Amino acid sequence: MENKIKVSKSSSQKKIINKINRVKIIRKEYLEEDKLIHFYDYMKLNKIEETEDTEKADLIISFGGDGTLLIAAKEALKKDIPVMAVNMGTLGYLADISSKDVIQMMEKYKKNQYIVDERTFLKVKYNEKEYYALNDLVISKGGIASQIINVEVYANGTFVNKYRADGIIIATPTGSTAYSLSAGGSIVHPNLRALSITPLSAQSLTARPIIIDGNEVLSFKVFSRDNDTHLNIDGRINFRIKLEDEISAVMSSKKVRIIRRGKSDYYGILREKLRWGESSVK
């Protein structure tokens, strides 16, 4: 839980203040330090320390794009504290706070004047180990020269479908606007506890994306002629799949809380960031 103290204004009115003593900062690669001078000046003036230990932090701040936010979100699994995502990338779909507004957002956070966007993780079990994905897991062939693969999908042990394709994407609602969307998958509202299955270049014309109950445990059987298939988790963790490997996925109870700069309008964000609904003909 975030570190909060209460300051009494009167017997009938109380104001909540979020203490910020230490922050965990995650930066994108090759970020010029001079772009953060004003922020570090603010930290020094307010006696806020930077810590590498997430357990000691009151807040996580990511400077970068949505990829940097994925790293920050995994850090939030170690301690239930919010992530303030500052956009220093290009799209900034989830990281929507501009660098010029970060100090103002810090002040709003301290005064408890902020919007929280909660996003649920996908829990992936690969053999005996568990991993968490904010966006998706992808089962795919190894490369351009690799053979097409067969992926059987089961939900709570019940056969769903067999995909003969370059691979499949299992996406959370958050991930539905990422790789899955570019592969033809549906946009899924983040408040839904649902998962989408999107095939990659399926051989059959009838293989279409499907949205399923996120409470169902998905399991997979993967076959290929050249034994060159891969499991990728959030674009960062990669395994070469063996025939005997066990893979499963289900929506987790774990969430990351992302601080937003204004009123949370999901459809407005889709229109602004993804140009959703715009005509392709001018």
Side-chain angles (χ1 to χ4, degrees), residues 122-125 137 152-158 160 168-171 195-197 210 212-221 246-251:
L122 177 70
K123 182 171 72 172
V124 181
K125 189 172 183 181
L137 76 82
E152 292 182 2
V153 182
Y154 298 81
N156 289 344
T158 300
V160 175
I168 62 169
I169 304 167
I170 309 299
L195 293 173
S196 56
I197 305 174
I210 184 173
I212 66 167
D213 185 351
N215 293 311
E216 293 185 322
V217 179
L218 297 180
S219 55
F220 312 92
K221 292 182 180 179
E246 296 182 356
I247 308 168
S248 65
V250 66
M251 288 291 282

Side-chain angles (χ1 to χ4, degrees), residues 162-206:
K162 180 178 180 178
Y163 297 92
R164 183 169 171 78
D166 284 354
I168 62 169
I169 304 167
I170 309 299
T172 66
T174 300
S176 72
T177 53
Y179 188 15
S180 177
L181 182 63
S182 68
S186 300
I187 297 174
V188 182
H189 195 285
N191 288 348
L192 294 177
R193 191 170 176 82
L195 293 173
S196 56
I197 305 174
T198 306
L200 290 168
S201 302
Q203 192 177 58
S204 170
L205 289 175
T206 60

Side-chain angles (χ1 to χ4, degrees), residues 219-238:
S219 55
F220 312 92
K221 292 182 180 179
V222 186
F223 311 91
S224 71
R225 291 180 181 177
D226 54 9
N227 295 317
D228 189 16
T229 56
H230 294 255
L231 169 66
N232 188 282
I233 301 170
D234 262 357
R236 295 188 174 275
I237 303 173
N238 188 72

